[in-house]
Amino acid sequence: MIVYAALAVIAGLLVGLSRQINGRLALSTSAMESSFWNHFVGFVFITCVALIIGGLFAGEPQESPWWAYLGGPIGVIFIAAGSWLIPRIGAAQTAMLIIAGQMISGVVLDIVMGAAGSPWARTLGVALILLGMWTSRSKRPNTITKHTHSDN
Amino acid sequence: MWRQCYPTCSLFPIAPQHKIGDACLMENTSLSPKPFHFAAAFGAGGLLTLMILCNGTLAAYGSLFFASWVPHLAGSIVALILLMALQPGRATKARPPIWAYLGGVSGGITVMLTSATMNTALALSGTIALGLAGQVLFSLFADMRGLFGLPQRMPSQRDYISLTLIIAGSLVLIFFGGEA
C-alpha cells in the first residue's frame, strides 16, 4: 500500500518534472514546438513500451465515441499553455492555477452531466479554491523587489 | 545542479533588450500572475478536465496503453500542423540541451504509474490527491532552485497560503464531492 502511495506521489512529481522540462524547451524554441516534442517523444516512448508489454489494441477501442479522440488535440493546447506559463509565473503558480481550474471545471462538468455528488462538499471545495485564487491575486508586498535588488 | 549548467537569465527571452542583471530583476518581480496569465492557467485546468474525460472514455473501451497512445499520436499530428501553419520561430538561436526534449517521457511514465495505482485501494481519488501533493512539492522545489534552467523564484508567504487553500478545496472535492 505504501508502495502504491509512493508511486502516486511520484506520478505527481513527474507531472511537475515534465512541465518544467517542456518549459525549458519552450524558452529556446516556442510553446507550440515544445508541445509537439512532448507529444512526439511521448508517442515514441509509449509505442516502445506497448510493443514490449503488448495489449495496445486490447478491448474494443473501435466502440468508443468519436469525441473521445479529441483528448490529443486538447492536450496540444494544454501542454503549450503550461510551457508558455511556467517561465512567466513560475512552477508553483502554474501548478496551483491549473489545479484550481481543473477542480472547478470538474465540478461544473459533473453537474452538467448529472453526476451524483454532495452539494455541500462541492460548494465548500469550490469556495476554498476561489479563496485561494483570490489570495494569490492580491497585490504582492514590495519587500521581495528590494531583496532581489540587493542580490543583483 | 542543472541551474549552473544552464544559467537562467541569459536564456530568458522575455526581456532581451535588458542586460542580464536587469532581466533577472524583471523576472523576479513580474512573476506574480497578470490577469491574462491567471486566466490562461485557469483555462488550461479546464482543458485538462476535458482531456481526462476524453482519455478516460478511451480507456473505458480500449486498454490504458491505447488511451495514452492515441492522444499522443493525434497530438503529435495536430501540433505539427499547427507548427507548420503558425511558424512561431525559435526564441533563441542557441540549441536547447538534448534533455529538454524528454518531457514527453516523463509524461508517459506518469500515465503508466497512475494506471497502476488507480486499480489499488488508492482508487482514482487517492491517486489524484497524492498526485496533487507530488505536483505541488515538485513545483515549489523547482521554483526555489530554478530547476532545469527556468527562472528562480522564492515562493512568498502568500503563495503558501493560497496553495494551502486550493489544495484543501481540492481534497474536499476529491474525497467528499464525488458521491452523494
Side-chain angles (χ1 to χ4, degrees), chain A residues 17-31:
Chain A
L17 175 69
S18 166
R19 206 175 282 150
Q20 196 83 3
I21 295 176
N22 287 331
R24 173 61 188 80
L25 183 59
L27 273 189
S28 294
T29 58
S30 63

Side-chain angles (χ1 to χ4, degrees), chain B residues 75-95:
Chain B
S76 301
I77 296 167
V78 170
L80 192 62
I81 293 170
L82 284 174
L83 265 184
M84 290 195 294
L86 302 172
Q87 307 229 331
R90 287 196 155 186
T92 55
K93 287 217 172 94
R95 281 248 187 99

Side-chain angles (χ1 to χ4, degrees), chain A residues 109-123:
Chain A
L109 186 73
D110 277 348
I111 291 172
V112 168
M113 292 177 75
S118 147
W120 285 108
R122 281 174 175 171
T123 309

Side-chain angles (χ1 to χ4, degrees), chain A residues 36 59 81 101 112 132 143 148:
Chain A
F36 166 74
V112 168
T143 45
T148 320

Side-chain angles (χ1 to χ4, degrees), chain B residues 22-35:
Chain B
D22 289 343
C24 257
L25 175 64
M26 206 202 87
E27 287 155 29
N28 282 322
T29 51
S30 66
L31 277 175
S32 75
K34 303 208 163 42

Side-chain angles (χ1 to χ4, degrees), chain A residues 33 56 60 88 91-92 105 116 137, chain B residues 31 33 49 61 63 90 143 178:
Chain A
E33 189 172 342
L56 179 58
E60 291 163 336
R88 286 168 173 80
S105 59
R137 279 298 294 139
Chain B
L31 277 175
T49 297
Y61 290 90
S63 68
R90 287 196 155 186
D143 272 351

Side-chain angles (χ1 to χ4, degrees), chain A residues 1 4-30 32-33 35-43 45-47 49-50 53-61 63-65 67-78 81-82 84-107 109-110 113 115-118 121-126 128-141 144-145 148-149 152, chain B residues 6 11-14 21 24-25 28-38 40-42 44-55 57-58 61-63 65-66 68-76 78-80 82-83 86 88-92 94 96-97 99-110 112-114 116-117 120-122 126-128 130-132 134-140 142-143 146-151 153 156 158-159 161-163 165-170 172-174 176-180:
Chain A
M1 191 60 216
Y4 287 116
L7 288 180
V9 174
I10 291 171
L13 294 176
L14 289 175
V15 169
L17 175 69
S18 166
R19 206 175 282 150
Q20 196 83 3
I21 295 176
N22 287 331
R24 173 61 188 80
L25 183 59
L27 273 189
S28 294
T29 58
S30 63
M32 191 50 76
E33 189 172 342
S35 183
F36 166 74
W37 287 110
N38 174 79
H39 282 85
F40 185 69
V41 172
F43 169 70
F45 175 74
I46 294 166
T47 305
V49 177
I53 298 179
L56 179 58
F57 296 104
E60 291 163 336
E63 299 291 318
S64 52
W67 53 262
Y69 289 89
L70 296 179
I74 295 171
V76 169
I77 308 298
F78 173 72
W84 185 80
L85 283 164
I86 199 167
R88 286 168 173 80
I89 62 175
Q93 297 264 12
T94 304
M96 75 187 192
L97 287 171
I98 288 179
I99 291 168
Q102 181 190 356
M103 288 297 156
I104 292 182
S105 59
V107 171
L109 186 73
D110 277 348
M113 292 177 75
S118 147
R122 281 174 175 171
T123 309
L124 176 65
V126 170
L128 282 170
I129 292 171
L130 290 177
L131 186 64
M133 290 171 65
W134 178 75
T135 310
S136 80
R137 279 298 294 139
S138 326
K139 219 180 163 195
R140 217 156 273 276
I144 296 171
T145 318
T148 320
H149 214 295
N152 287 312
Chain B
Y6 301 99
L11 292 168
F12 201 64
I14 284 178
C24 257
L25 175 64
N28 282 322
T29 51
S30 66
L31 277 175
S32 75
K34 303 208 163 42
F36 181 71
H37 295 145
F38 199 78
F42 189 74
L47 287 180
L48 186 56
T49 297
L50 294 178
M51 194 174 97
I52 291 172
L53 175 69
C54 292
N55 298 349
T57 305
L58 280 185
Y61 290 90
S63 68
F65 272 138
F66 184 80
S68 168
W69 187 75
V70 165
H72 275 88
L73 172 60
S76 301
V78 170
L80 192 62
L82 284 174
L83 265 184
L86 302 172
R90 287 196 155 186
T92 55
W99 54 256
Y101 290 91
L102 297 180
V105 174
S106 177
I109 298 172
T110 306
M112 289 162 201
L113 287 180
T114 47
T117 56
T120 66
L122 288 178
T127 301
I128 296 176
L130 291 169
L132 290 186
Q135 207 183 129
V136 165
L137 288 178
F138 182 90
S139 68
L140 285 171
D143 272 351
L147 282 190
F148 298 100
L150 289 190
R153 175 182 185 275
S156 64
R158 200 180 289 271
D159 287 332
I161 297 172
S162 110
L163 262 178
L165 287 167
I166 290 174
I167 295 302
S170 304
V172 168
L173 289 177
I174 291 167
F176 304 106
E179 54 193 74

